[in-house]
Amino acid sequence: MTNIISKSLFIRGCQCHKSLYLHKFHDELRDTLSEAQEAIFSTGTSVGEVARDLYPGGTNIRELTAGDTAKALTETANHMASGARVIYEAAFSCDNLLAYVDILVRDGESWKIFEVKASTSVSDTYLLDCAFQYHLLTLCGIQVSDVSVVHLNNKYIRQGALELKELFKTVSVLEEVKTLRSVVIENLEQQFAILNADSIPAIDIGLQCHSPYPCDFMGHCWKHVPEYSVFEVAGLSANKKMALYSSGILEIKDIPEGYKLNKNQKIQVDGVKHNRSHFDKAMVKEFLNTLKYPIYFMDFETMMPAIPLFDKSTPYQQIPFQYSLHYLPHRGAELQHMEFLAEAIEGKDPREAFIKVAGGYPKTRNGARL
Ligand code: SF4
């Protein structure tokens, strides 16, 4: 069977060869996608859709061909040959490589590649991603005059309709991807060799499991890691945790006496070693003594839309939309409760209603409405 390496598979392979192999041949070992991960993917998709309007009027090849790769390749070639100026999700394949280019824009006899990212900066992984596309299009005989990463501008403050040229930053990375082309070629050689092997690469867990993306095979690879492992020591750096693991120390109880820990880590490690809980009565008392009635207990929820939905908000700004407030007017009083949930009305900013003074809400110590 011929193995095809797509852009996303290439990036996976750069993170970990074992992940590359498992993704291709052992889907049954993959973790179930969490809701949070699904939300990240859908954020990327919606940002990509909005960014297309920076270069309007193109045809979306992926949509047009409904996931049929052969058709997508033919349609891309047809659109390029028939004078299209802008193409979204343009498909290219050569030498068993495959990529869809987010936005492809004609530049005379050449073409410009725009890779859209839902982040607020350019990372090394994005450079590799762009370098893969540059390498593939060059193999296909396409002249590429520029390659850019289009990412969100976290300084943009929405006021009225979205201003796409302000919302997005376009950063040319042509020189970087030209330099990285040799790295891509070298990585591809290794990745094809991995895919042609007949066994899972013997790679132990490591820092690569979390970076640049959380791996979706951790349930499989990390199953030997016990509940109270060194990876659970709060605030210990990832490098130190991995160094302990690599030296054969897997469980908290085996961390040697004298290992450098801060005060809280020492409490945690000693607690596990001696099977005892820690309760600092004096500190709790000291804290409770600082509280004065009336006392409010507030829990709230926020959302962080990548594309700002409301005026005076920026990409990924936290927008509160719900709270639950318990209120104790004086010692011994009955606990009261009030709550707020914003109306889900498109374009309606929930922040004002969230903080608005309303009749019936409890007063603060100074007598002002909450
Ligand atoms: S969990 Fe870690 S070791 Fe296993 S495949 Fe993923 S990155 Fe590789």
Side-chain angles (χ1 to χ4, degrees):
M1 191 182 78
T2 309
N3 289 306
I4 305 282
I5 296 187
S6 66
K7 183 168 69 105
S8 56
L9 194 60
F10 171 72
I11 294 300
R12 181 183 283 273
C14 290
Q15 178 168 347
C16 174
H17 284 164
K18 186 174 180 183
S19 173
L20 170 79
Y21 193 92
L22 294 177
H23 176 84
K24 198 79 176 184
F25 303 116
H26 288 281
D27 194 48
E28 77 283 0
L29 299 178
R30 190 189 309 276
D31 301 336
T32 316
L33 213 59
S34 70
E35 277 184 24
Q37 285 164 321
E38 277 185 32
I40 289 170
F41 288 135
S42 91
T43 296
T45 308
S46 59
V47 170
E49 285 165 4
V50 174
R52 283 180 202 141
D53 283 341
L54 284 166
Y55 300 93
T59 303
N60 185 335
I61 297 294
R62 210 192 276 261
E63 213 170 73
L64 185 72
T65 55
D68 183 328
T69 307
K71 264 194 197 165
L73 294 168
T74 308
E75 283 297 335
T76 300
N78 289 345
H79 276 72
M80 290 173 78
S82 62
R85 199 185 60 80
V86 180
I87 305 173
Y88 311 131
E89 304 284 340
F92 295 93
S93 182
C94 188
D95 287 0
N96 297 323
L97 306 179
L98 171 71
Y100 284 84
V101 174
D102 286 343
I103 305 174
L104 190 69
V105 177
R106 188 181 290 276
D107 181 25
E109 295 299 306
S110 307
W111 292 85
K112 290 181 175 179
I113 293 172
F114 294 91
E115 173 65 21
V116 182
K117 295 295 182 193
S119 72
T120 55
S121 59
V122 178
S123 71
D124 290 348
T125 305
Y126 300 164
L127 294 179
L128 270 178
D129 182 323
C130 288
F132 178 91
Q133 295 178 59
Y134 177 78
H135 172 62
L136 173 53
L137 266 68
T138 306
L139 282 181
C140 292
I142 313 291
Q143 272 188 48
V144 178
S145 59
D146 202 4
V147 183
S148 298
V149 174
V150 179
H151 66 78
L152 289 163
N153 169 16
N154 58 2
K155 299 276 182 299
Y156 169 70
I157 302 172
R158 182 169 184 166
Q159 198 60 58
L162 284 175
E163 297 164 274
L164 296 187
K165 289 210 160 57
E166 301 299 320
L167 171 63
F168 289 104
K169 274 190 173 175
T170 301
V171 183
S172 173
V173 293
L174 182 64
E175 292 314 313
E176 290 91 330
V177 300
K178 279 183 176 170
T179 309
L180 280 172
R181 194 169 172 204
S182 58
V183 177
V184 171
I185 293 168
E186 195 182 317
N187 265 288
L188 283 170
E189 273 174 22
Q190 293 169 1
Q191 293 189 16
F192 278 117
I194 293 290
L195 292 175
N196 288 330
D198 49 18
S199 61
I200 299 173
I203 294 175
D204 200 359
I205 61 170
L207 294 173
Q208 81 279 3
C209 301
H210 301 281
S211 175
Y213 304 109
C215 181
D216 47 2
F217 289 103
M218 285 184 59
H220 169 69
C221 295
W222 285 64
K223 60 176 181 270
H224 62 292
V225 176
E227 191 179 1
Y228 296 112
S229 76
V230 293
F231 296 102
E232 301 304 320
V233 179
L236 195 65
S237 73
N239 280 328
K240 284 185 178 167
K241 288 173 182 173
M242 210 38 89
L244 281 169
Y245 172 79
S246 302
S247 68
I249 299 164
L250 188 51
E251 298 196 46
I252 288 183
K253 69 177 174 53
D254 296 327
I255 293 178
E257 290 301 325
Y259 184 82
K260 200 161 182 249
L261 296 165
N262 68 27
K263 191 177 157 212
N264 287 343
Q265 289 161 352
K266 203 161 168 4
I267 289 170
Q268 182 190 4
V269 169
D270 286 349
V272 172
K273 279 186 178 179
H274 306 295
N275 194 24
R276 65 171 181 234
S277 54
H278 176 83
F279 179 41
D280 192 330
K281 261 188 184 174
M283 274 194 86
V284 172
K285 201 171 172 193
E286 192 183 313
F287 169 73
L288 290 177
N289 283 339
T290 64
L291 299 180
K292 301 269 183 297
Y293 289 92
I295 300 173
Y296 302 91
F297 308 86
M298 190 178 202
D299 180 25
F300 63 95
E301 300 294 335
T302 61
M303 57 178 167
M304 294 171 64
I307 306 284
L309 298 174
F310 314 112
D311 285 354
K312 298 187 187 118
S313 68
T314 59
Y316 293 112
Q317 181 172 336
Q318 274 190 296
I319 306 285
F321 64 90
Q322 181 181 27
Y323 68 67
S324 164
L325 178 68
H326 284 90
Y327 165 63
L328 209 48
H330 54 82
R331 183 182 288 272
E334 200 176 319
L335 194 63
Q336 297 175 29
H337 179 248
M338 55 221 72
E339 59 196 11
F340 168 80
L341 176 60
E343 288 177 288
I345 299 173
E346 200 180 330
K348 187 162 183 213
D349 189 340
R351 289 174 294 179
E352 194 179 336
F354 188 98
I355 56 168
K356 206 164 187 172
V357 176
Y361 276 35
K363 291 190 173 85
T364 64
R365 243 176 292 142
N366 307 328
R369 291 281 183 202
L370 182 68

